[in-house]
Amino acid sequence: MALITGQQITNYFKQFGDVEVAFNKDVIRATGLMPRNNLLKCKGEYWPCFVYSSSMKGAKVVASIKEDFHAKIKAANNFVSLQFSFKVPDKAAPLVFFVSARVAGFSKYGDAKSDLSLINLAYTQQPPDDLIAKLGRLLETNLNSQKRKEERIQINDNIIRKIGLKSKSVIVLIDNIPRKAIIRDISFSGTKLIIAGIAKFLVNKVALIRLDIEENDLILKIPGKVVRFEPIADRKDIASIAIQFEEKLIPIEYKVLINDYLSGIKPGATPPVSG
């Protein structure tokens, strides 16, 4: 889990405070959101809900709305608390916190027979730093993956550890044939590998690189294509190849790793936020 400073929290809130993040499958996986463990609390009672989206200033949740819910909301002058639950790497207990909010409106969700509603919530104060960190880290990643997509990180053993990869030695499938390779450099958009053999015949071949991540022993598989090769001086047995990743299929977890390194966010088994 990344160590994010108080100054970064302040910057995230200023830069991205109004930006809404939809909790689709990729975002749920990247943040560790536990969809079944989120609740709306009002006057001591709880209602299960699904967090549809959130910014740092409000959220949209889906919940089953019945008369008892409306009665509680009315009695509380529309004030509720939204419980977020997130998985924490290497820990059994989840990260759980509440955000104070006001119900700003309802709209029907699903078909006519459904009792589900989309509830608009406006946070009544700045949310906990943990939520700002999770949303800000994702939004910064999306921004930098475009602005800095070609910025290359030269790889050595020290840099690999800082990024959060287990090794600079990797397996890459080229035309479905597995090959051992060593990462030479890496970026949001691709990588250069040192590989054995005559590399010029690999150009324009489909590739799939496997990356082993320290956190959670995660394995990422990134598809792409070999776009060029370069000979290595005085070595005929090895060469360098460049792989361009297929942009729409790059895992968000990979983008976060690259962004954290470029932004100076330290990886490690530490609390998500540090003042």
Side-chain angles (χ1 to χ4, degrees):
M1 192 176 287
L3 177 63
I4 297 176
T5 66
Q7 185 58 53
Q8 285 167 318
I9 294 295
T10 300
N11 293 341
Y12 284 161
F13 192 78
K14 286 181 179 178
Q15 187 174 7
F16 302 117
D18 294 309
V19 182
E20 198 169 26
V21 174
F23 279 91
N24 58 29
K25 181 175 66 175
D26 289 341
V27 171
I28 288 172
R29 190 180 69 243
T31 60
L33 183 74
M34 302 172 71
R36 297 179 183 274
N37 289 37
N38 301 300
L39 302 167
L40 276 178
K41 178 184 177 183
C42 182
K43 296 187 77 67
E45 292 193 33
Y46 297 84
W47 288 266
C49 67
F50 172 76
V51 181
Y52 182 84
S53 66
S54 180
S55 71
M56 300 172 196
K57 296 183 178 179
K60 292 184 176 70
V61 303
V62 177
S64 176
I65 301 301
K66 296 180 180 178
E67 289 301 321
D68 62 333
F69 182 90
H70 283 290
K72 288 287 184 182
I73 294 294
K74 185 176 180 180
N77 294 318
N78 286 348
F79 289 102
V80 297
S81 294
L82 173 60
Q83 175 184 295
F84 281 93
S85 296
F86 294 94
K87 296 176 185 176
V88 180
D90 302 321
K91 292 187 179 180
L95 170 67
V96 179
F97 55 82
F98 285 89
V99 185
S100 299
R102 178 178 54 82
V103 176
F106 299 87
S107 58
K108 191 69 177 175
Y109 187 84
D111 58 41
K113 296 180 180 179
S114 172
D115 65 356
L116 295 177
S117 290
L118 185 68
I119 307 171
N120 288 316
L121 302 175
Y123 298 152
T124 56
Q125 59 190 39
Q126 183 170 312
D129 288 353
D130 289 298
L131 182 61
I132 295 173
K134 286 183 175 295
L135 298 181
R137 192 177 174 211
L138 276 184
L139 291 166
E140 182 186 61
T141 293
N142 287 336
L143 181 64
N144 283 340
S145 67
Q146 295 303 313
K147 288 176 60 178
R148 306 176 70 175
K149 66 187 300 182
E150 301 300 337
E151 190 170 333
R152 312 204 74 81
I153 303 168
Q154 300 298 318
I155 291 300
N156 57 39
D157 290 334
N158 184 45
I159 298 299
I160 278 290
R161 286 192 297 271
K162 287 183 178 180
I163 291 175
L165 301 177
K166 286 187 176 181
S167 173
K168 62 182 180 181
S169 299
V170 297
I171 297 295
V172 58
L173 274 72
I174 302 178
D175 263 2
N176 290 319
I177 299 174
R179 298 169 180 265
K180 293 180 180 180
I182 297 173
I183 302 174
R184 194 174 192 178
D185 70 36
I186 204 164
S187 70
F188 281 114
S189 60
T191 183
K192 283 184 183 176
L193 305 176
I194 298 173
I195 197 166
I198 303 174
K200 66 180 180 179
F201 298 116
L202 303 179
V203 176
N204 294 323
K205 302 289 188 182
V206 173
L208 181 76
I209 185 170
R210 167 182 160 151
L211 299 175
D212 293 318
I213 312 303
E214 285 284 0
E215 190 170 289
N216 289 338
D217 288 325
L218 182 65
I219 297 173
L220 299 180
K221 296 178 181 179
I222 311 177
K225 184 173 75 171
V226 180
V227 292
R228 64 181 180 276
F229 86 98
E230 299 170 0
I232 295 177
D234 302 322
R235 295 293 299 268
K236 294 184 178 181
D237 56 328
I238 60 173
S240 174
I241 60 170
I243 295 177
Q244 178 97 34
F245 296 149
E246 192 168 339
E247 187 169 358
K248 293 182 179 179
L249 298 179
I250 301 172
I252 193 167
E253 294 94 333
Y254 172 78
K255 293 181 181 180
V256 168
L257 288 177
I258 300 300
N259 181 73
D260 282 357
Y261 176 80
L262 293 176
S263 302
I265 297 174
K266 298 177 181 178
T270 58
V273 177
S274 171

